[in-house]
Amino acid sequence: MFSDVSEKQITGAILDEFTESLRDCLETDVVIVGGGPSGLVAGKVLAEGGRKVLVIEANNYLGGGFWIGGFLMNTITVRDPGQRMLDDIGVPYREKEPGLYVTSGPHACSKLVAAACDAGVRILNMAKVDDVVLREGNRVGGVVVNWTPVSALPRAITCVDPIALESTVVIDATGHDAVVARCLERRGLMKIEGYGAMWVSQSEDAVVEKTGEIHPGLIATGMAVSTVYGIPRMGPTFGAMLLSGEKAGRIALEATAPVKEAVTV
Ligand code: 48F
């Protein structure tokens, strides 16, 4: 027999838990917008480093494009040295060509989602970031967010105001759309090049190299980096997404390091 729990108790449990966890995220060290491979790796690095980090994901599921390799085929490819991150999350892979590794999208993606959650990343899914909070000197100080289904509503119904969450740093991990960077572009605060044509051998190194702060308080990772800087796209190979996420996480770790207290002798 299942335990004797009523409908109102179940509803109350959901309401209490959800409200408490959202309240706990009103102010975080880092908000990561987008739960694809780059955002999840960044989140894992930050949570392992002891930061309070929230991933906001528009879909109900995390993982972005990492479930599927390309052309709806669920084999993921990773070029050397990206396989290091597969080792890190414990995913088996095979060397298909010298320096080119293959793994299962569902296996790699579910392991990465679990690794981020195990590390302590907080998750707000079915929520879409549609603007940023700006502070003195136009420094990004948080995000403006609404339920994903709200953004699909016809405007005729009514205006549903969003809410805002504050953070020391925001990471744009929204992939090709570079949604957060576009919020700044709309205000004339940034120029966005749009990602270039496909050229794998150029793209992956460039994405990792350019991963970093693109505006005070805003770091870009993954395909958002390509979009911001006009770097060639790399198509269905994921090593740069994983290593870019790792680099973004480390940069954000440094940016949110607690100020060391002066030692008095
Ligand atoms: O697209 P996505 O997987 O981005 P990524 O981490 O990796 C790119 C690769 O998957 C692949 C590639 C290279 O191998 O070309 O495409 O750069 O994940 C982006 C995530 O952001 C979410 C979106 O649903 C997806 O899960 N997202 C996009 N816009 C928003 C958002 C938004 N406004 N608010 C919240 N989440």
Side-chain angles (χ1 to χ4, degrees), residues 29 45-52 253:
D29 295 313
V45 168
L46 282 156
E48 284 170 349
R51 302 297 183 273
K52 187 193 264 193
L253 260 184

Side-chain angles (χ1 to χ4, degrees), residues 64-79:
F66 204 38
W67 294 101
I68 294 168
F71 203 60
L72 296 184
M73 297 182 288
N74 69 5
T75 297
I76 295 287
T77 66
V78 169
R79 294 196 303 147

Side-chain angles (χ1 to χ4, degrees), residues 231-246:
I231 292 166
R233 61 196 299 184
M234 79 284 302
T237 183
F238 286 80
M241 300 298 102
L242 304 173
L243 296 184
S244 167
E246 184 186 46

Side-chain angles (χ1 to χ4, degrees), residues 11-238:
T11 306
I14 295 170
L15 196 57
D16 286 352
E17 278 297 306
F18 184 80
T19 311
E20 202 179 301
S21 63
L22 184 58
R23 170 164 284 283
D24 192 41
C25 289
L26 293 181
E27 188 177 16
T28 51
D29 295 313
V30 184
V31 162
I32 299 174
V33 186
S38 63
L40 289 172
V41 172
K44 176 176 175 293
V45 168
L46 282 156
E48 284 170 349
R51 302 297 183 273
K52 187 193 264 193
V53 51
L54 172 69
V55 168
I56 301 179
E57 168 53 53
N59 268 302
N60 57 346
Y61 61 89
L62 294 163
F66 204 38
W67 294 101
I68 294 168
F71 203 60
L72 296 184
M73 297 182 288
N74 69 5
T75 297
I76 295 287
T77 66
V78 169
R79 294 196 303 147
D80 188 23
Q83 77 279 9
R84 176 164 67 72
M85 301 301 293
L86 299 179
D87 288 329
D88 186 49
I89 55 172
V91 184
Y93 54 84
R94 281 190 317 119
E95 189 165 27
K96 190 79 181 159
E97 305 284 345
L100 179 68
Y101 301 90
V102 288
T103 186
S104 147
H107 196 170
C109 195
S110 47
K111 278 273 195 173
L112 179 55
V113 172
C117 292
D118 288 347
V121 172
R122 296 136 203 260
I123 313 283
L124 179 61
N125 56 346
M126 289 303 288
K128 211 167 185 174
V129 167
D130 65 16
D131 209 346
V132 288
V133 173
L134 287 182
R135 303 292 192 213
E136 294 80 16
N138 287 323
R139 185 185 169 83
V140 174
V143 293
V144 175
V145 63
N146 219 328
W147 296 121
T148 299
V150 167
S151 63
L153 289 174
R155 269 288 165 165
I157 293 183
T158 182
C159 166
V160 179
D161 274 320
I163 57 167
L165 301 171
E166 297 181 25
S167 65
T168 309
V169 168
V170 173
I171 297 181
D172 188 342
T174 58
H176 299 72
D177 294 340
V179 172
V180 189
R182 294 263 181 220
C183 295
L184 299 177
E185 186 192 39
R186 280 206 300 273
R187 300 193 167 80
L189 296 172
M190 181 179 290
K191 182 168 164 8
I192 294 183
E193 300 292 337
Y195 59 84
M198 197 179 289
W199 191 1
V200 178
S201 67
Q202 294 296 303
S203 60
E204 292 209 276
D205 287 310
V207 165
V208 178
E209 190 201 317
K210 289 282 195 183
T211 295
E213 194 176 61
I214 54 171
H215 182 88
L218 179 63
I219 292 167
T221 185
M223 275 308 292
V225 177
S226 302
T227 297
V228 168
Y229 289 108
I231 292 166
R233 61 196 299 184
M234 79 284 302
T237 183
F238 286 80

